[in-house]
Amino acid sequence: MKSVRRIVLGGQEHLLESFIDITEHKKLEAQLAESQRFAAIGETATMIGHDLRNPLQAITSIAYLAKKGLKSSKPEEKREVEGLLESIDEQVLYMDKIVSDLHDYAQSLTPKSTETSLPDLVKTVLSTVKVPTTVKVSVEIPKGFPNVLIDSYLMRRVLTNLVINAIQAMPKGGRLVIRTSKKEETATVSVQDTGTGIPEEDMHKLFNPFFTTKAKGQGLGLAVCKRLVEAQGGKITVESKPGKGTTFTTSIPQRKNVR
Amino acid sequence: LKKNILVIDDDQAVLKTLARTLELEGYNVTTAQTGREAIEKSNSQFFNLALIDIRLSDIEGTELLTKMKETTPKMIKLIITGYPALANATEAINKGADGYIVKPVNMNKLLETVKEHLKKQQEATKYSEEKVVEYIESRAKEQETEEAKT
């Protein structure tokens, strides 16, 4: 690091140039940044490890039970094996979500907006998420709803996360409502649940990465939603009343009229 | 006599499959998804053993250990966790855990661990029963001797 000063000595003007060797300082700064990066990686790896171990435990137990059931000659035990094997799909989907969330949070995004049918997108999302029978689903999309300009892959991820969150917020059942609207130059999709709601003190932390109130989950879902929506120039908002339910609304600007 | 086991885990799939595996081995299994449910159930029934997940939605498994230790001192408490760390393992042992199992655990190994702990519990119960019998017998003999003297 160099600094130059003008000084007057014995009536004569001089330039005083001084140098400080900051090589060591820079080295320490780099070491600190590196150790912070390792600490963050360590923390993330621990959380992901924990989240993956639960579905892995379920699959290990399913495999054990299936092997046992296949050896049995009783037809009811064979039927139980079929049910167990189907539940492996659920565990695999859950593990895929963990990995996808992390990927979506870490990767650089270049959204590609294309004309997309929101009713079709909502249908696809609902077909990939397992909705308990205690949760009633309503999709409120006006007839003849125009196509919208969005990145369909990113929006599918956003809606999937919001729908999963809504279902998890209603462990005793409830109502899930998905609404779409297009006002002026903005397309909005909202996901409403009649679940537990979010306490006031947690509202401002909701979209922070790794913030979670659940025992299960690494707290990336909403952070990912925010990132994916903002990458498309949009915003995500939340309204919640503890004990009544929560509504998440995503708004994506429409750069040109699409029909 | 069938042994009673309480399985506590917030993950429904894990809970269901662990419970079924233990049932097939001939145990009476009760499940709980929260710490609160576990405390309620363990207060109303005797369990020989509990498998306790370390992270529950309403309470940490280690805290649950402290609460359960007061009401169910004889129940074997095995911590089962997908969050293995030296800190929580030490805490679990200090708070009264009898074992620490890391997910995903091989089911044969889990069953073996459960069986071993239950065997030790049975031996300890038998030993304390024998001690009680021995004490009663010796007291009876002492009394007989005293009565003979008088």
Side-chain angles (χ1 to χ4, degrees):
Chain A
M1 195 170 75
K2 185 176 105 173
S3 75
V4 183
R5 263 199 307 160
R6 214 177 273 277
I7 55 166
V8 180
L9 274 178
Q12 273 197 323
E13 210 173 72
H14 298 265
L15 281 179
L16 179 68
E17 211 169 332
S18 60
F19 298 87
I20 303 170
D21 185 357
I22 57 165
T23 317
E24 205 55 35
H25 181 80
K26 286 277 174 201
K27 226 189 256 177
L28 284 173
E29 261 182 8
Q31 274 175 6
L32 180 68
E34 188 73 347
S35 62
Q36 279 171 341
R37 200 173 69 88
F38 277 124
I41 292 172
E43 201 180 320
T44 313
T46 306
M47 267 188 283
I48 291 161
H50 170 254
D51 277 352
L52 287 176
R53 283 189 183 106
N54 265 340
L56 284 174
Q57 179 62 65
I59 292 173
T60 306
S61 313
I62 290 167
Y64 173 88
L65 289 168
K67 274 187 224 160
K68 236 180 143 107
L70 286 173
K71 281 181 198 160
S72 163
S73 54
K74 294 177 188 164
E76 65 270 21
E77 285 187 18
K78 298 246 187 225
R79 273 198 298 276
E80 191 185 359
V81 171
E82 280 171 28
L84 285 167
L85 294 177
E86 269 173 34
S87 58
I88 287 183
D89 288 341
E90 282 171 40
Q91 301 305 318
V92 171
L93 276 176
Y94 178 60
M95 288 197 280
D96 182 53
K97 185 191 171 315
I98 294 169
V99 177
S100 302
D101 276 352
L102 191 71
H103 180 252
D104 289 343
Y105 192 71
Q107 72 167 341
S108 63
L109 298 168
T110 343
K112 286 183 188 128
S113 296
T114 50
E115 285 185 31
T116 306
S117 157
L118 272 181
D120 288 351
L121 187 72
V122 170
K123 209 170 156 187
T124 311
V125 168
L126 289 172
S127 70
T128 53
V129 177
K130 198 181 175 203
V131 183
T133 49
T134 50
V135 173
K136 300 284 164 233
V137 182
S138 330
V139 179
E140 296 178 7
I141 302 180
K143 269 192 181 170
F145 192 80
N147 282 352
V148 292
L149 258 185
I150 51 170
D151 182 312
S152 58
Y153 168 75
L154 299 187
M155 276 312 280
R156 186 179 155 181
R157 296 274 307 121
V158 171
L159 289 180
T160 304
N161 278 355
L162 293 180
V163 167
I164 290 173
N165 276 1
I167 292 169
Q168 286 174 346
M170 300 184 284
K172 289 175 184 162
R175 194 162 171 242
L176 168 71
V177 186
I178 301 175
R179 291 185 187 91
T180 63
S181 67
K182 200 176 174 208
K183 284 175 194 161
E184 294 170 359
E185 293 307 305
T186 309
T188 64
V189 187
S190 67
V191 178
Q192 184 184 9
D193 67 64
T194 55
T196 45
I198 301 157
E200 183 69 40
E201 64 269 24
D202 289 342
M203 290 291 274
H204 69 285
K205 295 181 273 184
L206 273 189
F207 296 102
N208 290 354
F210 306 118
F211 171 75
T212 181
T213 55
K214 301 172 202 162
K216 187 177 161 184
Q218 71 261 47
L220 273 179
L222 286 175
V224 164
C225 287
K226 187 173 185 277
R227 189 163 184 261
L228 302 188
V229 169
E230 286 178 353
Q232 297 172 79
K235 60 177 184 177
I236 180 164
T237 55
V238 57
E239 281 174 62
S240 185
K241 277 186 186 161
K244 298 267 179 199
T246 305
T247 306
F248 283 93
T249 306
T250 63
S251 314
I252 308 288
Q254 301 297 285
R255 271 163 282 165
K256 60 180 180 183
N257 287 330
V258 179
R259 177 87 215 173
Chain B
L1 208 69
K2 273 188 173 186
K3 304 280 184 196
N4 296 320
I5 296 182
L6 177 63
V7 185
I8 313 156
D9 202 303
D10 65 300
D11 189 302
Q12 224 174 352
V14 173
L15 194 67
K16 211 170 128 184
T17 50
L18 283 182
R20 186 73 186 121
T21 306
L22 291 162
E23 269 168 10
L24 287 176
E25 286 303 302
Y27 300 113
N28 275 330
V29 185
T30 303
T31 58
Q33 255 189 296
T34 62
R36 199 178 156 178
E37 201 184 337
I39 292 169
E40 277 171 14
K41 289 186 173 170
S42 65
N43 281 343
S44 60
Q45 189 192 338
F46 172 73
F47 291 99
N48 297 87
L49 183 144
L51 277 177
I52 309 167
D53 181 23
I54 215 160
R55 274 181 100 185
L56 298 164
S57 57
D58 57 343
I59 193 173
E60 284 288 316
T62 45
E63 206 181 316
L64 183 63
L65 275 174
T66 317
K67 294 198 170 178
M68 288 181 127
K69 200 178 167 184
E70 293 161 10
T71 53
T72 54
K74 284 190 178 168
M75 181 173 77
I76 299 160
K77 300 161 191 86
L78 301 180
I79 286 283
I80 180 160
T81 181
Y83 199 71
L86 184 63
N88 68 30
T90 318
E91 198 187 350
I93 299 299
N94 287 340
K95 286 187 172 170
D98 299 284
Y100 188 87
I101 298 162
V102 177
K103 287 177 189 171
V105 59
N106 173 289
M107 297 312 280
N108 288 316
K109 206 173 168 189
L110 175 79
L111 291 172
E112 205 178 295
T113 309
V114 167
K115 205 172 158 186
E116 267 174 31
H117 277 278
L118 289 172
K119 195 178 162 196
K120 277 184 201 162
Q121 185 187 55
Q122 200 169 358
E123 280 168 1
T125 313
K126 201 178 153 196
Y127 180 72
S128 56
E129 278 170 4
E130 278 170 5
K131 280 279 171 198
V132 170
V133 171
E134 205 176 290
Y135 173 77
I136 294 169
E137 280 175 354
S138 68
R139 284 293 296 142
K141 270 182 194 168
E142 276 170 22
Q143 254 181 339
E144 270 174 30
T145 325
E146 276 169 27
E147 277 168 12
K149 277 180 189 169
T150 56

